[in-house]
Amino acid sequence: MLENNDNIIQSVDRAFKILDVFNLKEKELGVTEIANRLGLHKSTVFGLLRTLEYWGCVEQNQTTGKYRLGLKLFELGNRVIEGFDLRGLALPFLQDLVERYRETVHLVVHDRGEVVYIEKAEGPSTIRMYSQVGHRAPMHCTGVGKAILAFRSKQDIDTVIRTKGLQPFSPNTITDSRRLHEELSIIRREGYSFDNEEIEIGLRCVAAPIMDNNSKVIAAISIAGPSMRMTDEQMQNLIVPVKETAFKISQRIGYSPLS
Amino acid sequence: MLENNDNIIQSVDRAFKILDVFNLKEKELGVTEIANRLGLHKSTVFGLLRTLEYWGCVEQNQTTGKYRLGLKLFELGNRVIEGFDLRGLALPFLQDLVERYRETVHLVVHDRGEVVYIEKAEGPSTIRMYSQVGHRAPMHCTGVGKAILAFRSKQDIDTVIRTKGLQPFSPNTITDSRRLHEELSIIRREGYSFDNEEIEIGLRCVAAPIMDNNSKVIAAISIAGPSMRMTDEQMQNLIVPVKETAFKISQRIGYSPLS
DNA sequence: ACTTCTGTTCTATAATGTCAAACAGCGTTT
DNA sequence: AAACGCTGTTTGACATTATAGAACAGAAGT
């Protein structure tokens, strides 16, 4: 869990700061706009953008002169998880779960104190949760986050709490460190976790961890839906199928319950 | 089509050079290894890696000390195409095509003189073409590349030929500029393209371009398979369905044949 | 026609990234 | 068991290199 921010190469750091200001809401930004937002001079930003453009990490809208993210990033991003068989191996299992319970299923991995969505299978309902592969979410208020966190060392858990905090996202978010530790302890014992509207009111899910061949928890899956459909009874019904699916995926990537 | 490589910020350029040396074959590389490959001093590489690690673009294998690509790149990469509805909108149409003809279908876009695979739907056969979302391919020897190139200006076509060349990938690759122009002219007239083992012996495909609301060709789809199954007759059979599917996707993103 | 934005170019300066050498830790070899 | 050769890492001095400010060019708005 990286914490120091010394000895960072300024121009490279700034280049990534630039890439990071682009998001769904602001897909296209001008030189001046970026400069203001980052508190840099526009000619500095321009030079960085030129380099990023040379690499294809940003591209310029020829009519407006503004910049947007480029496909080189897509290429690099996909290279990260290719050969990383988890994603491809898991997909059929996720789809099977969707088919049986008609709610959206996600696969996430842990990265630097957060979870990253690496695959999803969407349910058929018109009312569905919004989510996007590649997005990040906090660990303390998601089913998948808690499922993964529960199986890390106490020290790791405390590092996450300390560096990321326990920001409240809804009235149900666990914001007390002691409470979180208690909850994680239960999850560790039961092998599954709930998200009871902890990140967003109206959204509930059931999640379970995925283990690799060293019995290390490396990922998690969840099935999520609106509280209207995810009744207490339905949540209970989902525990076994979610755990079973997570178990099948674990086995598929080499996990053996004996070792 | 970017050609100059002046005024590039050295450290940023080097940072991306580092990211770019990682690939499927070499997922983990050491500091010294990278330094040798790029002809840089290892402490320079180390400093850049530290910055990349700070950003989560690389991460270190704690046991071997080697580095690999990090999930931040996956996050940025997905951000490039999110909101870019083409991908999500096209998927059901691609799946429909796969279901009917049982061969792998791809969706690509043009980027800097190459095509980038942004979505695929795989056929059921055990013998299937290897492909990976995020990968790039040349335009002159792929069905999708030619389908897109055909609808660009003569000047654009010549720029691609000049900057990327007409490298032969198989005995069937078109390596003569005049021949390519002729072929593109036919594709422009007919509205579809073939790849007749031009990138790889044994691989054939049928492709068609996708238009946006300004009638501009922005993408292409293809259905590909081994020559054994992709007989001349089958290729002919596929022309109409592929064109129709491309047309449906085009309409879905706002294309209107009248305008 | 004037102002006020934009993205871009240029240049002097000093801050910054770079390189070389030294360090520390691990395995293998002698 | 000591010396070697290999890692990744730290340090510090130097000059390369990124930076910021001003000036430019073009578009859009007034």
Short mmCIF file of all heavy atoms in Angstrom, two decimals, chain C residues 14-25:
data_model
loop_
_atom_site.label_atom_id
_atom_site.label_comp_id
_atom_site.label_asym_id
_atom_site.label_seq_id
_atom_site.Cartn_x
_atom_site.Cartn_y
_atom_site.Cartn_z
P DA C 14 17.68 32.26 -13.06
OP1 DA C 14 17.65 33.60 -12.42
OP2 DA C 14 18.97 31.69 -13.50
"O5'" DA C 14 17.00 31.22 -12.07
"C5'" DA C 14 15.60 30.88 -12.20
"C4'" DA C 14 15.44 29.37 -12.08
"O4'" DA C 14 15.78 28.75 -13.35
"C3'" DA C 14 16.36 28.71 -11.06
"O3'" DA C 14 15.71 27.56 -10.53
"C2'" DA C 14 17.52 28.23 -11.90
"C1'" DA C 14 16.73 27.73 -13.10
N9 DA C 14 17.51 27.53 -14.31
C8 DA C 14 18.66 28.14 -14.68
N7 DA C 14 19.14 27.73 -15.83
C5 DA C 14 18.21 26.78 -16.24
C6 DA C 14 18.14 25.97 -17.38
N6 DA C 14 19.05 26.00 -18.36
N1 DA C 14 17.09 25.13 -17.49
C2 DA C 14 16.18 25.12 -16.50
N3 DA C 14 16.15 25.83 -15.38
C4 DA C 14 17.21 26.65 -15.31
P DA C 15 15.21 27.70 -9.00
OP1 DA C 15 14.73 29.05 -8.71
OP2 DA C 15 16.25 27.07 -8.17
"O5'" DA C 15 13.95 26.72 -9.03
"C5'" DA C 15 13.04 26.78 -10.12
"C4'" DA C 15 13.00 25.46 -10.89
"O4'" DA C 15 14.19 25.29 -11.69
"C3'" DA C 15 12.89 24.21 -10.02
"O3'" DA C 15 11.89 23.41 -10.61
"C2'" DA C 15 14.27 23.55 -10.17
"C1'" DA C 15 14.63 23.94 -11.58
N9 DA C 15 16.06 23.95 -11.91
C8 DA C 15 17.07 24.52 -11.20
N7 DA C 15 18.25 24.40 -11.78
C5 DA C 15 17.97 23.71 -12.94
C6 DA C 15 18.80 23.26 -13.99
N6 DA C 15 20.12 23.47 -14.03
N1 DA C 15 18.21 22.60 -15.01
C2 DA C 15 16.89 22.41 -14.97
N3 DA C 15 16.02 22.77 -14.04
C4 DA C 15 16.63 23.42 -13.05
P DT C 16 11.28 22.18 -9.84
OP1 DT C 16 9.83 22.25 -10.03
OP2 DT C 16 11.88 22.09 -8.49
"O5'" DT C 16 11.82 20.98 -10.73
"C5'" DT C 16 11.63 21.05 -12.15
"C4'" DT C 16 12.51 20.02 -12.82
"O4'" DT C 16 13.88 20.42 -12.79
"C3'" DT C 16 12.45 18.65 -12.16
"O3'" DT C 16 12.01 17.74 -13.14
"C2'" DT C 16 13.87 18.36 -11.73
"C1'" DT C 16 14.69 19.28 -12.63
N1 DT C 16 15.97 19.72 -12.03
C2 DT C 16 17.12 19.64 -12.78
O2 DT C 16 17.14 19.23 -13.93
N3 DT C 16 18.26 20.08 -12.14
C4 DT C 16 18.34 20.57 -10.84
O4 DT C 16 19.41 20.93 -10.37
C5 DT C 16 17.09 20.63 -10.12
C7 DT C 16 17.07 21.14 -8.72
C6 DT C 16 15.97 20.21 -10.74
P DG C 17 11.44 16.34 -12.73
OP1 DG C 17 10.07 16.25 -13.21
OP2 DG C 17 11.76 16.10 -11.31
"O5'" DG C 17 12.36 15.41 -13.64
"C5'" DG C 17 12.42 15.68 -15.03
"C4'" DG C 17 13.73 15.19 -15.59
"O4'" DG C 17 14.84 15.79 -14.89
"C3'" DG C 17 13.92 13.68 -15.51
"O3'" DG C 17 14.53 13.26 -16.72
"C2'" DG C 17 14.87 13.52 -14.31
"C1'" DG C 17 15.72 14.77 -14.42
N9 DG C 17 16.28 15.29 -13.16
C8 DG C 17 15.65 15.42 -11.97
N7 DG C 17 16.40 15.94 -11.03
C5 DG C 17 17.62 16.17 -11.66
C6 DG C 17 18.83 16.73 -11.16
O6 DG C 17 19.05 17.14 -10.02
N1 DG C 17 19.81 16.80 -12.15
C2 DG C 17 19.64 16.37 -13.45
N2 DG C 17 20.69 16.52 -14.25
N3 DG C 17 18.52 15.85 -13.94
C4 DG C 17 17.55 15.78 -12.99
P DT C 18 14.65 11.73 -17.05
OP1 DT C 18 14.21 11.51 -18.44
OP2 DT C 18 14.07 10.96 -15.93
"O5'" DT C 18 16.24 11.54 -17.00
"C5'" DT C 18 17.04 12.41 -17.77
"C4'" DT C 18 18.48 12.29 -17.33
"O4'" DT C 18 18.64 12.88 -16.04
"C3'" DT C 18 18.96 10.84 -17.20
"O3'" DT C 18 19.91 10.62 -18.22
"C2'" DT C 18 19.56 10.75 -15.80
"C1'" DT C 18 19.69 12.20 -15.38
N1 DT C 18 19.49 12.47 -13.92
C2 DT C 18 20.50 13.07 -13.20
O2 DT C 18 21.57 13.39 -13.70
N3 DT C 18 20.21 13.29 -11.88
C4 DT C 18 19.04 12.97 -11.22
O4 DT C 18 18.90 13.21 -10.03
C5 DT C 18 18.03 12.33 -12.03
C7 DT C 18 16.73 11.94 -11.40
C6 DT C 18 18.29 12.12 -13.33
P DC C 19 20.32 9.13 -18.61
OP1 DC C 19 20.47 9.06 -20.08
OP2 DC C 19 19.42 8.21 -17.90
"O5'" DC C 19 21.76 9.03 -17.95
"C5'" DC C 19 22.72 10.08 -18.18
"C4'" DC C 19 23.80 10.02 -17.12
"O4'" DC C 19 23.24 10.38 -15.85
"C3'" DC C 19 24.43 8.63 -16.95
"O3'" DC C 19 25.82 8.75 -17.18
"C2'" DC C 19 24.09 8.23 -15.51
"C1'" DC C 19 23.79 9.56 -14.84
N1 DC C 19 22.77 9.55 -13.76
C2 DC C 19 22.97 10.35 -12.62
O2 DC C 19 24.01 11.02 -12.54
N3 DC C 19 22.03 10.35 -11.65
C4 DC C 19 20.92 9.61 -11.78
N4 DC C 19 20.03 9.66 -10.79
C5 DC C 19 20.69 8.79 -12.93
C6 DC C 19 21.64 8.79 -13.89
P DA C 20 26.66 7.43 -17.51
OP1 DA C 20 27.54 7.74 -18.65
OP2 DA C 20 25.75 6.27 -17.56
"O5'" DA C 20 27.55 7.32 -16.20
"C5'" DA C 20 28.18 8.49 -15.69
"C4'" DA C 20 28.62 8.27 -14.26
"O4'" DA C 20 27.46 8.38 -13.39
"C3'" DA C 20 29.23 6.89 -13.99
"O3'" DA C 20 30.51 7.08 -13.43
"C2'" DA C 20 28.25 6.20 -13.03
"C1'" DA C 20 27.53 7.38 -12.39
N9 DA C 20 26.14 7.11 -12.00
C8 DA C 20 25.23 6.32 -12.64
N7 DA C 20 24.05 6.26 -12.06
C5 DA C 20 24.19 7.08 -10.95
C6 DA C 20 23.31 7.45 -9.92
N6 DA C 20 22.06 7.02 -9.85
N1 DA C 20 23.78 8.28 -8.97
C2 DA C 20 25.03 8.71 -9.05
N3 DA C 20 25.97 8.45 -9.96
C4 DA C 20 25.48 7.61 -10.90
P DA C 21 31.46 5.84 -13.06
OP1 DA C 21 32.84 6.22 -13.45
OP2 DA C 21 30.84 4.62 -13.59
"O5'" DA C 21 31.37 5.83 -11.48
"C5'" DA C 21 31.29 7.05 -10.74
"C4'" DA C 21 30.84 6.78 -9.32
"O4'" DA C 21 29.39 6.67 -9.27
"C3'" DA C 21 31.39 5.46 -8.74
"O3'" DA C 21 31.75 5.65 -7.38
"C2'" DA C 21 30.20 4.53 -8.84
"C1'" DA C 21 29.06 5.49 -8.54
N9 DA C 21 27.75 5.01 -8.96
C8 DA C 21 27.44 4.28 -10.08
N7 DA C 21 26.17 3.98 -10.18
C5 DA C 21 25.60 4.54 -9.06
C6 DA C 21 24.28 4.57 -8.57
N6 DA C 21 23.26 4.00 -9.20
N1 DA C 21 24.05 5.23 -7.41
C2 DA C 21 25.08 5.80 -6.78
N3 DA C 21 26.38 5.84 -7.13
C4 DA C 21 26.56 5.19 -8.29
P DA C 22 32.53 4.48 -6.60
OP1 DA C 22 33.80 5.03 -6.09
OP2 DA C 22 32.51 3.26 -7.43
"O5'" DA C 22 31.56 4.25 -5.35
"C5'" DA C 22 31.04 5.38 -4.64
"C4'" DA C 22 29.85 4.95 -3.81
"O4'" DA C 22 28.75 4.62 -4.67
"C3'" DA C 22 30.09 3.70 -2.95
"O3'" DA C 22 29.52 3.89 -1.66
"C2'" DA C 22 29.37 2.60 -3.70
"C1'" DA C 22 28.19 3.39 -4.25
N9 DA C 22 27.52 2.76 -5.38
C8 DA C 22 28.07 2.26 -6.52
N7 DA C 22 27.19 1.75 -7.36
C5 DA C 22 25.98 1.94 -6.71
C6 DA C 22 24.65 1.63 -7.07
N6 DA C 22 24.32 1.03 -8.22
N1 DA C 22 23.68 1.96 -6.20
C2 DA C 22 24.01 2.55 -5.06
N3 DA C 22 25.22 2.91 -4.60
C4 DA C 22 26.17 2.57 -5.49
P DC C 23 29.74 2.79 -0.55
OP1 DC C 23 30.07 3.52 0.68
OP2 DC C 23 30.64 1.71 -1.05
"O5'" DC C 23 28.27 2.19 -0.40
"C5'" DC C 23 27.17 3.06 -0.16
"C4'" DC C 23 25.88 2.25 -0.12
"O4'" DC C 23 25.53 1.82 -1.45
"C3'" DC C 23 25.95 0.98 0.74
"O3'" DC C 23 24.92 1.01 1.70
"C2'" DC C 23 25.77 -0.15 -0.25
"C1'" DC C 23 24.98 0.53 -1.37
N1 DC C 23 25.12 -0.10 -2.71
C2 DC C 23 23.96 -0.55 -3.37
O2 DC C 23 22.87 -0.44 -2.82
N3 DC C 23 24.09 -1.12 -4.60
C4 DC C 23 25.28 -1.23 -5.16
N4 DC C 23 25.35 -1.78 -6.37
C5 DC C 23 26.47 -0.76 -4.52
C6 DC C 23 26.35 -0.21 -3.30
P DA C 24 25.02 0.04 2.96
OP1 DA C 24 24.57 0.83 4.14
OP2 DA C 24 26.33 -0.67 3.00
"O5'" DA C 24 23.89 -1.03 2.62
"C5'" DA C 24 22.57 -0.58 2.27
"C4'" DA C 24 21.77 -1.76 1.77
"O4'" DA C 24 22.17 -2.07 0.42
"C3'" DA C 24 21.95 -3.04 2.58
"O3'" DA C 24 20.69 -3.66 2.72
"C2'" DA C 24 22.88 -3.88 1.74
"C1'" DA C 24 22.45 -3.46 0.34
N9 DA C 24 23.45 -3.63 -0.70
C8 DA C 24 24.80 -3.43 -0.61
N7 DA C 24 25.44 -3.67 -1.72
C5 DA C 24 24.44 -4.04 -2.60
C6 DA C 24 24.46 -4.43 -3.96
N6 DA C 24 25.58 -4.48 -4.68
N1 DA C 24 23.29 -4.75 -4.54
C2 DA C 24 22.17 -4.68 -3.81
N3 DA C 24 22.02 -4.34 -2.54
C4 DA C 24 23.21 -4.02 -1.99
P DG C 25 20.44 -4.66 3.94
OP1 DG C 25 19.45 -4.00 4.81
OP2 DG C 25 21.75 -5.14 4.45
"O5'" DG C 25 19.72 -5.90 3.24
"C5'" DG C 25 18.75 -5.70 2.21
"C4'" DG C 25 18.87 -6.80 1.19
"O4'" DG C 25 20.01 -6.55 0.33
"C3'" DG C 25 19.09 -8.19 1.77
"O3'" DG C 25 18.01 -9.02 1.40
"C2'" DG C 25 20.39 -8.69 1.14
"C1'" DG C 25 20.48 -7.80 -0.10
N9 DG C 25 21.82 -7.64 -0.64
C8 DG C 25 22.94 -7.21 0.04
N7 DG C 25 24.00 -7.16 -0.73
C5 DG C 25 23.55 -7.58 -1.98
C6 DG C 25 24.25 -7.73 -3.22
O6 DG C 25 25.43 -7.51 -3.45
N1 DG C 25 23.39 -8.17 -4.22
C2 DG C 25 22.06 -8.43 -4.07
N2 DG C 25 21.41 -8.85 -5.15
N3 DG C 25 21.40 -8.30 -2.93
C4 DG C 25 22.20 -7.87 -1.93
#
